[in-house]
Amino acid sequence: MQQTHPVRAAARSPTSLGDYANLRRGGTSPGKARALLRLEDRELARLERAFRGQVARGAGEAQPRFARHELHVAKVMAQGGFAALTETRVGRNGVHVGLPLVWPEAGR
């Protein structure tokens, strides 16, 4: 007598929170992360809830929505530049950084 075993299709491994969190911290929207990782609605909801819980507890910072750094810098520079902290020389090789903030001059 010959025994047969049912053949199971390989189950798709569940997406780890780390994979999802890395995308989200990099500025990827939840919808785009869903498409990239091929997540179902239920998985997306679970991972987003866990990701937001991590951020709320301070476990890793999320990128700001304006995560296109080169474009951000270009826009700020077009408006006059960034504010800077005041620097004071201390001795031969030291620098003391402190207040007040120095704002860029308008119209440069």
Side-chain angles (χ1 to χ4, degrees):
M1 175 170 202
Q2 186 178 10
Q3 289 184 328
T4 59
H5 298 286
V7 177
R8 289 184 178 175
R12 189 169 67 100
S13 63
T15 301
S16 75
L17 177 57
D19 294 336
Y20 182 78
N22 287 338
L23 285 172
R24 292 288 283 125
R25 284 189 185 102
T28 304
S29 69
K32 189 167 182 175
R34 177 185 187 211
L36 289 170
L37 297 172
R38 292 179 275 169
L39 299 172
E40 296 174 3
D41 290 338
R42 189 173 179 173
E43 285 179 294
L44 176 65
R46 176 184 64 84
L47 291 171
E48 183 65 19
R49 199 170 36 251
F51 170 71
R52 287 178 185 247
Q54 278 186 343
V55 172
R57 289 187 301 278
E61 293 295 318
Q63 282 282 356
R65 290 193 185 276
F66 201 126
R68 297 173 298 281
H69 302 296
E70 295 83 14
L71 181 59
H72 176 95
V73 170
K75 285 188 174 190
V76 171
M77 294 308 289
Q79 295 173 5
F82 293 90
L85 293 170
T86 304
E87 292 183 0
T88 307
R89 301 298 266 158
V90 179
R92 178 183 279 179
N93 298 321
V95 175
H96 175 70
V97 179
L99 294 174
L101 275 177
V102 178
W103 294 96
E105 293 179 28
R108 272 193 188 180

